[in-house]
Amino acid sequence: MSRLRPAKPGSIHSATLWSVLATALLSALVLGDGIGLNLLVVAVPASLAAYFAARAAGRRLRPWTAVWGAGGLALLVVPALRDAGWPSFLAVVSAVALGSLALHGSRSWPGVFLGSVGLFTSVAPSLGWGARGVRERMAGSRGGWGVAFRSTAVAAVLLIVFGALFASADAAFADVLGNLIPDVSVGEGPWRIFLAALGLAGALAAAYTAAAPVRWDGVTVRPGRARGRLEWALPLIVLNLLFAVFLAIQLTVLLGGYDKVMAETDLSYSEYARQGFWQLLWATLLTLLVIALALRWAPRGGARDRTLVRGVLGTLCLLTLVVVASALRRMDLYVDAYGLTRLRISVAAVELWLGVVLVLIMAAGVFGRRLLPRAVAASAAVGVLAFGLVSPDGLIAEQNVQRYRSDHSIDVEYLRGLSADAVPALDTLPEPLRTCALEEIQRTLRSSDEPWYATSWGEKRARDILGDWDPGFREIGCRGLGSGDNGSERGGEVDDPYDPYDPY
């Protein structure tokens, strides 16, 4: 770390300090009620702290830094739009990784990987850096900072006193004030203090990294020993032949569909589609590992060796793309028979992203590998953002409702566990399916009193649709309702109407 990190930054800038303090204050006030638009509210002063620190250190804004920074802020839009926690969690984690990349400016494979988590290495030194800056200003400002703190405290007291008086004098003003100002109770004091400390440490770490980033690109991986052409190419050519034979058989499935599957195999429809997808997903992942190892030990003798490497690995990438298409086709057949779930849409999205990575690898073989690490990281961020914006829970509900209208069964017990993003589709079900699917979501909405900045647009839309509807107590049992009532999975007899493989 002493070799990779440059000299310690100079004294912390006043603008950076004020931005850090604003981040800590906003974290304490708005993050304790949930996540939504408040993440963006807190991220803005933290980003300003990093910007002021970088400018004071003489760093310039580079194109990729702007891309990573804008992408990280864009990912924080997902919690503000979607009520579902799982895509929001992915978006927040990805936003932190992109923010860390923006601060470090890495470009190599080790640099992109370590730079995405390198922000955490700056937490400890940044605390001392910030404390020294405060002490220097308190000692050398001739009371200027003391005056600022006293003035801020007096202004806060005046706002609280007169705001309370005006709120008690006018109900409309009290309602507006209650919607704008966070409701902080004494019992939440420790929790709010922890959030303030978290925001302070995060903003300070971002500013410290912006001023003195770790040069993760200095971590190098030595290339492997170059192999001879025959020794290197023979195993890969055999693997390409195996892929080609497998895919020639798969073309009948891709083009023939369900009836062709049943005619060619002794497996049931669900067994064929389910088992095949997971095996092909693993085959795609292992192929990427094979490509990485092949590049490490590839012959490097001259133009003929480069042509051999590009031809063999390009063919392998192209054949693997067809494997990706086959896996997605199997998942499509499976979803058509048994409906969409969180696990199925997640692994299909991962398989689709792996296909994008293969295309980027092929492009790197033609145009050069310099941008490949950053392109792969950018594609992952775009995938997470798109996954959150399309509303997975909404798609799941919509697809299952559409299947029900096409005389297929529907698993109400599963759908009732979705988030408020699923309400627009579930609200179109006939009774009593609608009540069974929406009662848990509505009870959660009615018991929630989150402020506007911690409420997602998906939750607000669900409230607008359901209104004041009270599901109350019902004597109708929902368990098993809709499972197999309205037609079998394929319109005929099946041995496995319920899929136990998917726990989600």
Side-chain angles (χ1 to χ4, degrees):
M1 292 296 296
S2 61
R3 179 178 63 87
L4 298 176
R5 189 186 291 277
K8 292 183 179 181
S11 180
I12 187 170
H13 197 270
S14 297
T16 302
L17 266 180
W18 283 114
S19 299
V20 169
L21 292 175
T23 304
L25 179 61
L26 288 173
S27 299
L29 291 178
V30 303
L31 289 185
D33 301 299
I35 62 172
L37 188 62
N38 49 7
L39 287 178
L40 265 176
V41 172
V42 172
V44 169
S47 302
L48 288 176
Y51 169 74
F52 291 135
R55 189 177 66 174
R59 296 186 66 190
R60 294 181 301 169
L61 181 65
R62 299 182 182 274
W64 275 102
T65 301
V67 169
W68 298 135
L73 292 176
L75 283 164
L76 293 181
V77 174
V78 174
L81 296 178
R82 303 301 172 212
D83 181 60
W86 54 299
S88 296
F89 173 78
L90 289 175
V92 171
V93 171
S94 300
V96 174
L98 286 192
S100 185
L101 275 178
L103 297 172
H104 288 94
S106 304
R107 64 183 64 185
S108 64
W109 281 112
V112 169
F113 178 75
L114 296 173
S116 62
V117 296
L119 180 64
F120 298 101
T121 65
S122 299
V123 174
S126 68
L127 295 177
W129 182 57
R132 286 193 302 271
V134 172
R135 285 198 305 267
E136 291 172 1
R137 279 160 178 77
M138 293 296 288
S141 61
R142 295 183 180 179
W145 275 65
V147 171
F149 282 124
R150 288 194 298 272
S151 301
T152 303
V154 171
V157 170
L158 292 175
L159 285 175
I160 292 173
V161 172
F162 284 94
L165 287 174
F166 290 146
S168 61
D170 187 85
F173 181 78
D175 183 64
V176 172
L177 199 64
N179 290 330
L180 294 178
I181 298 178
D183 183 16
V184 181
S185 61
V186 177
E188 294 180 340
W191 172 237
R192 300 286 179 171
I193 292 174
F194 170 77
L195 290 174
L198 187 65
L200 180 74
L204 268 178
Y208 189 88
T209 305
V214 179
R215 304 301 181 184
W216 294 113
D217 285 336
V219 178
T220 57
V221 179
R222 295 180 181 179
R225 183 173 64 86
R227 307 290 178 173
R229 294 176 187 173
L230 181 62
E231 179 185 5
W232 179 87
L234 181 60
L236 294 175
I237 292 175
V238 172
L239 182 62
N240 282 339
L241 292 175
L242 177 63
F243 269 62
V245 173
F246 174 77
L247 294 176
I249 299 174
Q250 288 299 294
L251 285 177
T252 59
V253 176
L254 286 171
L255 300 177
Y258 169 72
D259 295 333
K260 191 69 175 179
V261 169
M262 298 302 294
E264 295 286 341
T265 69
D266 295 328
L267 296 174
S268 68
Y269 179 73
S270 62
E271 290 173 339
Y272 185 87
R274 179 175 62 208
Q275 293 177 359
F277 173 82
W278 290 103
Q279 273 83 348
L280 294 181
L281 176 62
W282 278 109
T284 306
L285 290 170
L286 290 175
T287 301
L288 290 174
L289 177 61
V290 168
I291 293 172
L293 295 177
L295 287 172
R296 177 174 173 79
W297 291 311
R300 296 182 287 271
R304 298 181 64 180
D305 287 339
R306 288 195 296 271
T307 301
L308 175 66
V309 171
R310 288 177 179 177
V312 173
L313 293 185
T315 302
L316 181 60
C317 287
L318 187 61
L319 293 174
T320 309
L321 278 177
V322 185
V323 170
V324 171
S326 178
L328 292 174
R329 173 57 174 163
R330 286 173 184 253
M331 179 56 72
D332 180 62
L333 294 172
Y334 194 44
V335 167
D336 181 63
Y338 295 104
L340 193 61
T341 65
R342 287 176 171 177
L343 178 63
R344 293 166 193 167
I345 194 174
S346 299
V347 294
V350 170
E351 182 73 17
L352 184 61
W353 174 69
L354 292 177
V356 173
V357 172
L358 287 168
V359 173
L360 292 175
I361 292 174
M362 294 173 66
V366 177
F367 302 106
R369 293 182 288 177
R370 188 173 63 89
L371 295 178
L372 182 59
R374 289 181 287 188
V376 171
S379 69
V382 170
V384 172
L385 178 60
F387 188 72
L389 294 180
V390 300
S391 183
D393 278 10
L395 285 179
I396 292 168
E398 184 178 347
Q399 195 270 348
N400 281 275
V401 170
Q402 185 61 41
R403 288 183 69 256
Y404 178 77
R405 291 173 180 166
S406 302
D407 292 333
H408 289 68
S409 65
I410 186 170
D411 189 353
V412 177
E413 192 67 23
Y414 178 83
L415 296 178
R416 66 190 302 184
L418 298 177
S419 66
D421 298 331
V423 166
L426 298 181
D427 188 59
T428 62
L429 286 171
E431 294 291 354
L433 294 177
R434 175 188 176 275
T435 298
C436 289
L438 291 175
E439 59 178 353
E440 288 297 328
I441 298 176
Q442 177 65 345
R443 288 195 182 100
T444 301
L445 293 176
R446 288 171 64 89
S447 62
S448 174
D449 57 350
E450 296 174 346
W452 62 272
Y453 50 79
T455 302
S456 66
W457 177 75
E459 182 177 342
K460 181 183 181 301
R461 181 178 57 173
R463 292 180 186 275
D464 293 339
I465 293 174
L466 298 180
D468 296 329
W469 170 60
D470 185 3
F473 175 78
R474 298 177 306 101
E475 296 182 357
I476 301 176
C478 293
R479 184 174 295 276
L481 184 63
S483 297
D485 302 347
N486 210 33
S488 66
E489 311 299 340
R490 297 296 303 183
E493 295 295 330
V494 283
D495 298 329
D496 186 18
Y498 172 69
D499 175 23
Y501 190 86
D502 186 357
Y504 301 99

